[in-house]
Amino acid sequence: MFGAENVYSLLKRAGMFLKSKGLSEPESDAEVLLSFVLQTKRSKLPLMRSQKLTDIQVSQYEKYILRRSKREPVAYITELAGFMDFEFKANKNVLIPRPETEILVETALKLAKKENKNSVLDLCTGSGCIAVSLAKLGKFKDITASDVSGSALEIAKENARINNVLDISFVKSDVFDGISGKIFDIIVSNPPYVSHEEYNALESELKYEPEIALMAAECGLFFYKKIAGKAGKYLKDNGFILIELNAYKAGEIKQIFSTGGYKNIEIIKDYAGLPRILKAENRC
Ligand SMILES: C[S@@+](CC[C@H](N)C(=O)[O-])C[C@H]1O[C@@H](n2cnc3c(N)ncnc32)[C@H](O)[C@@H]1O
């Protein structure tokens, strides 16, 4: 499609092609994918404008651009995602870590420091981005990460290895069912929270992500209800729960935790001013 070209002309053509397919950030996508093919930093591309690519590199790039033109997320093409300044492996078995979820990690780190908390459970860990970031940045003595998906747990374990974190306990568990005999200072979770209705209206990029990571029954509230109902048993007396919110259902979710008897419920907003994290203290 692009022929043997230099970095500059290739980027220009790829950007125009992606733009013609209606992508919202064609130049940025073209640059990220080319820097991946060339195994270089994106910031170095302007210095490489006249560099010629081999036929193999051009054909690899062409395949990636075609995949992107069909709305496959860049992170699944490169199998890499950035989160909290760390690099994570991502594939179709895990949700791509989102910037909003960094607020959950930052809140947990602040809370653990202030309240001297040192054990944490990351429920619905997916890629392991939350648990691994907490292990890298916090001083936790005990980190457990669980997910119902065995293939997600494999990626989470790989992400722990890639980031040199060797002390997370990974558990296959349907919500709390496999977490036995342990109680924690903090439970963090970014559970599936998209309703069936919302799922059908999602943009096509999101349809590449695992349905199990996104969709939740009971109008998207299933996991909030389940977690509010059971978390108390897995938390120490003055333990905390931090859970990412479906921003459009924050009021209902707050009500679920309040009815469940949790104390000092706070809602923390994200950078767009949307309610993003619920923080609550155990009911004891
Ligand atoms: C929204 S993703 C969050 C992934 C990761 N923690 C993050 O923030 O990027 C939700 C995760 O919940 C997991 N999950 C879905 N149903 C579950 C269940 N019944 N019990 C435990 N985990 C579940 C999915 O496999 C998925 O990894």
Side-chain angles (χ1 to χ4, degrees):
M1 180 174 51
F2 301 123
E5 288 168 290
N6 64 26
V7 164
Y8 174 77
S9 57
L10 202 55
L11 273 178
K12 204 165 170 194
R13 280 172 185 265
M16 280 164 61
F17 177 68
L18 292 178
K19 194 171 179 187
S20 74
K21 297 288 174 186
L23 274 98
S24 59
E25 296 180 348
E27 285 87 12
S28 157
D29 291 346
E31 283 176 18
V32 172
L33 290 171
L34 189 57
S35 60
F36 180 65
V37 168
L38 296 176
Q39 293 291 297
T40 190
K41 286 190 177 148
R42 188 177 161 195
S43 58
K44 296 250 168 77
L45 288 178
L47 305 171
M48 300 165 69
R49 288 158 66 97
S50 53
Q51 183 176 315
K52 292 255 195 298
L53 277 78
T54 65
D55 289 348
I56 292 171
Q57 286 170 326
V58 172
S59 120
Q60 196 183 18
Y61 187 54
E62 180 179 315
K63 282 185 195 136
Y64 293 162
I65 291 293
L66 278 174
R67 284 169 67 181
R68 183 66 193 122
S69 74
K70 293 175 185 155
R71 298 292 196 279
E72 184 170 347
V74 170
Y76 287 151
I77 299 173
T78 60
E79 298 204 338
L80 289 173
F83 183 80
M84 298 295 298
D85 285 337
F86 302 118
E87 198 161 82
F88 288 87
K89 180 175 172 158
N91 68 20
K92 287 176 187 169
N93 295 317
V94 294
L95 187 93
I96 300 165
R98 302 291 203 272
E100 306 88 271
T101 308
E102 295 184 351
I103 301 170
L104 182 64
V105 173
E106 283 157 6
T107 310
L109 289 169
K110 270 190 226 148
L111 179 68
K113 195 171 174 195
K114 183 166 168 246
E115 304 279 344
N116 204 18
K117 304 289 188 197
N118 55 38
S119 62
V120 62
L121 167 65
D122 173 21
L123 210 60
C124 304
T125 194
S127 64
C129 60
I130 299 173
V132 170
S133 301
L134 290 176
K136 294 290 284 182
L137 300 169
K139 293 199 168 124
F140 295 95
K141 293 201 177 94
D142 175 14
I143 301 182
T144 300
S146 68
D147 202 288
V148 76
S149 157
S151 42
L153 281 174
E154 286 311 309
I155 300 293
K157 285 178 196 167
E158 202 173 330
N159 278 325
R161 273 196 302 276
I162 292 169
N163 285 290
N164 298 315
V165 170
L166 304 172
D167 46 4
I168 297 177
S169 308
F170 290 99
V171 182
K172 189 160 191 259
S173 172
D174 182 353
V175 196
F176 288 106
D177 290 356
I179 314 287
S180 56
K182 269 185 125 175
I183 54 170
F184 301 89
D185 288 318
I186 302 176
I187 295 175
V188 293
S189 186
N190 176 16
Y193 56 63
V194 176
S195 68
H196 287 84
E197 208 177 35
E198 287 167 332
Y199 185 81
N200 292 333
L202 288 178
E203 55 192 47
S204 26
E205 259 94 348
L206 284 137
K207 298 278 168 65
Y208 281 88
E209 303 202 65
E211 219 177 274
I212 190 180
L214 292 167
M215 207 159 29
E218 300 186 36
C219 300
L221 298 173
F222 173 82
F223 287 93
Y224 296 113
K225 290 181 183 170
K226 190 110 180 170
I227 293 170
K230 295 206 168 166
K233 283 191 213 142
Y234 297 87
L235 276 174
K236 294 185 186 165
D237 283 358
N238 289 309
F240 290 86
I241 178 129
L242 295 172
I243 192 159
E244 185 165 319
L245 295 172
N246 177 335
Y248 304 102
K249 300 201 169 140
E252 285 167 79
I253 300 162
K254 189 174 179 188
Q255 190 57 47
I256 291 168
F257 279 85
S258 157
T259 308
Y262 293 83
K263 300 183 294 186
N264 302 324
I265 300 176
E266 273 178 52
I267 302 285
I268 296 146
K269 292 191 173 164
D270 64 18
Y271 302 117
L274 294 169
R276 188 54 67 190
I277 310 294
L278 178 139
K279 174 181 163 194
E281 211 175 324
N282 199 11
R283 43 199 158 195
C284 301

